[in-house]
Amino acid sequence: MELGKINVKFFAADPHSPPLTDFIDLFHGWIQATDGIYHDVADYSHMQAGPGIVLVANDANVSIDETDNRRGLLYSRKQPLEGTNPGKILRAFGLALEFCKKLETDPSLAKKIRFRGDEALFIVNDRLLAPNNEATFLALKSDLETAAGSLYGGASFTLNHNSDPRQRFSVTIRASESFDLDTLIANVGAATQNR
């Protein structure tokens, strides 16, 4: 299975701060500060447990997602990444973590958001390629274990496949200990240099 549309979500430590609408102006500022990388901001703040605030770009969308009433940064890859599946998954983790760090350090948020490093959600946004069933989980389990092992620097973790057939294929990865973003970013960097 050649992975393409990889989504990764890291969860916010506080699910209610800052207000969701604070990210609208922030994302518009990112659009103005770049040369065509980002294109638009979609506001779904009126939806309960919805997609939140979405920053639209060619390669990937970035959103403050509130699906299942769990706020987090969702990195939604639209263009393929190069390399092996474990390398692609790890690269998606790294890109998502960079956005998490950018938000945590953004002066306009005044340190009002912090992301947990001990849990990540992996989604394949392609129901044809990756139907949400046990066969897909078994096909991707080794790739996920390799990527998560690098992400968590060898610490133990669990994989929990959400087998609800109405949902896209997704796996929650939980580490046995807490991690800060800097450590995770360093782990990803070290692992991708060695590939």
Side-chain angles (χ1 to χ4, degrees):
M1 182 181 303
E2 186 73 17
L3 288 175
K5 297 177 181 176
I6 297 171
N7 292 6
V8 173
K9 183 175 180 178
F10 285 95
F11 296 95
D14 182 343
H16 306 294
S17 179
L20 192 56
T21 51
D22 284 8
F23 295 95
I24 297 171
D25 288 341
L26 185 146
F27 284 163
H28 277 296
W30 288 10
I31 292 172
Q32 294 165 3
T34 62
D35 186 21
I37 295 174
Y38 308 117
H39 303 293
D40 199 6
V41 175
D43 176 6
Y44 297 99
S45 60
H46 59 284
M47 295 177 62
Q48 178 72 21
I53 309 298
V54 182
L55 177 63
V56 180
N58 283 339
D59 291 342
N61 292 344
V62 176
S63 61
I64 302 302
D65 178 80
E66 297 202 322
T67 300
D68 295 329
N69 287 309
R70 297 198 66 200
R71 179 179 287 186
L73 180 130
L74 178 64
Y75 176 83
S76 304
R77 189 76 193 176
K78 299 191 296 191
Q79 298 298 325
L81 292 164
E82 294 184 9
T84 64
N85 281 346
K88 292 176 186 181
I89 296 167
L90 192 59
R91 182 72 180 125
F93 282 143
L95 292 164
L97 287 164
E98 289 171 17
F99 281 107
C100 289
K101 186 70 176 178
K102 187 173 180 176
L103 286 173
E104 280 192 355
T105 58
D106 192 292
S108 70
L109 293 178
K111 298 185 179 181
K112 291 180 183 173
I113 191 163
R114 193 173 57 78
F115 292 93
R116 296 175 44 201
D118 62 342
E119 181 180 10
L121 180 65
F122 168 82
I123 302 167
V124 180
N125 192 24
D126 188 334
R127 292 177 190 265
L128 184 60
L129 175 72
N132 193 12
N133 56 36
E134 186 68 13
T136 301
F137 178 63
L138 292 174
L140 291 175
K141 184 179 180 189
S142 176
D143 295 337
L144 282 167
E145 288 173 339
T146 300
S150 296
L151 176 69
Y152 290 121
S156 62
F157 59 87
T158 59
L159 301 179
N160 182 23
H161 170 223
N162 176 1
S163 59
D164 183 345
R166 297 169 296 175
Q167 304 292 323
R168 295 172 294 170
F169 176 81
S170 67
V171 175
T172 301
I173 305 162
R174 285 191 181 88
S176 59
E177 55 192 85
S178 60
F179 285 87
D180 60 55
L181 295 187
D182 290 332
T183 300
L184 295 180
I185 290 168
N187 289 349
V188 170
T192 52
Q193 284 180 355
N194 295 332
R195 289 189 186 272

